[in-house]
Amino acid sequence: MSLDIAVGRARTVLAPPVAVAKGAERGGGKLDQPGTPEPDENQVAVALIASIAAERDREAFKQLFQMFAPRVKAFARRSGAPAQVAEDLLQDVMMSVWRRAGQYDREKAAVSTWIFTIARNRRIDMLRRESRPDFDPEDPTLQSGSE
């Protein structure tokens, strides 16, 4: 199975993973099947982001979502978010990815770094909102002294 991603007018076909024979040394050894080396996750993610940015490609977004959703949600859960808050954070982060895909710069960071930076910042914003006290209009410190 290959990953076929439309980028602009050209199509990029990313080859499937290549299996390595049992006992093969790192960096060498026989391959079970000939072919091109497996593209790393970032190469695939960059192609998906480019397709989302250029064409608003829903299929590319679906693939990117499947790639990162479990990890973003796990990140939120590890940071202390309850399940529903983690799900809300995930949805918010992925919507930001959809809207801001054109702002991604592969020269600055890997796609995963970019997505997790968005997630971290969203989680910090959520924690700040939670730590603010509720406004109480009946608080005596807020009453004017002219009464």
Side-chain angles (χ1 to χ4, degrees), residues 49-61 95 97-102:
I49 287 282
S51 186
I52 294 165
E55 300 175 10
R56 305 316 262 172
D57 184 344
R58 290 178 184 225
E59 184 60 34
F61 181 74
M95 285 306 300
V97 168
W98 174 260
R99 280 189 241 114
R100 297 170 47 195

Side-chain angles (χ1 to χ4, degrees), residues 5 7 10 21 25-26 72 75 79 84 88 93 99 104 106:
I5 301 169
V7 179
E25 295 292 313
R26 185 174 190 183
V72 170
F75 163 78
S79 71
Q84 186 57 49
D88 292 344
V93 167
R99 280 189 241 114
Y104 170 71
R106 70 185 301 166

Side-chain angles (χ1 to χ4, degrees), residues 3 40-46 48 60-72 94 111 115-116:
L3 178 61
D40 72 7
E41 179 182 73
N42 192 57
Q43 290 173 324
V44 173
V46 166
L48 293 171
F61 181 74
K62 179 181 174 184
Q63 292 173 17
L64 192 72
F65 189 94
Q66 290 171 344
M67 187 182 293
F68 285 99
R71 293 187 288 172
V72 170
M94 295 310 290
V111 174
I115 290 174
F116 279 99

Side-chain angles (χ1 to χ4, degrees), residues 9-133:
R9 293 177 186 213
R11 294 190 83 68
T12 304
V13 177
L14 300 172
V18 174
V20 176
K22 288 184 181 179
E25 295 292 313
R26 185 174 190 183
K30 288 186 169 182
L31 298 177
D32 286 344
Q33 53 184 226
T36 59
E38 174 184 356
D40 72 7
E41 179 182 73
N42 192 57
Q43 290 173 324
V44 173
V46 166
L48 293 171
I49 287 282
S51 186
I52 294 165
E55 300 175 10
R56 305 316 262 172
D57 184 344
R58 290 178 184 225
E59 184 60 34
F61 181 74
K62 179 181 174 184
Q63 292 173 17
L64 192 72
F65 189 94
Q66 290 171 344
M67 187 182 293
F68 285 99
R71 293 187 288 172
V72 170
K73 189 171 181 179
F75 163 78
R77 295 287 294 167
R78 281 192 313 271
S79 71
Q84 186 57 49
V85 173
E87 186 67 33
D88 292 344
L89 178 93
L90 167 63
Q91 295 298 320
D92 188 38
V93 167
M94 295 310 290
M95 285 306 300
S96 291
V97 168
W98 174 260
R99 280 189 241 114
R100 297 170 47 195
Q103 295 175 6
Y104 170 71
D105 183 355
R106 70 185 301 166
E107 300 298 318
K108 291 184 179 180
V111 174
S112 61
T113 303
W114 184 65
I115 290 174
F116 279 99
T117 298
I118 295 169
R120 185 199 71 212
N121 291 341
R122 289 291 192 280
R123 181 64 181 140
I124 290 169
D125 291 345
M126 286 179 164
L127 291 171
R128 285 182 182 147
R129 273 186 252 121
E130 289 173 6
S131 68
R132 288 187 182 152

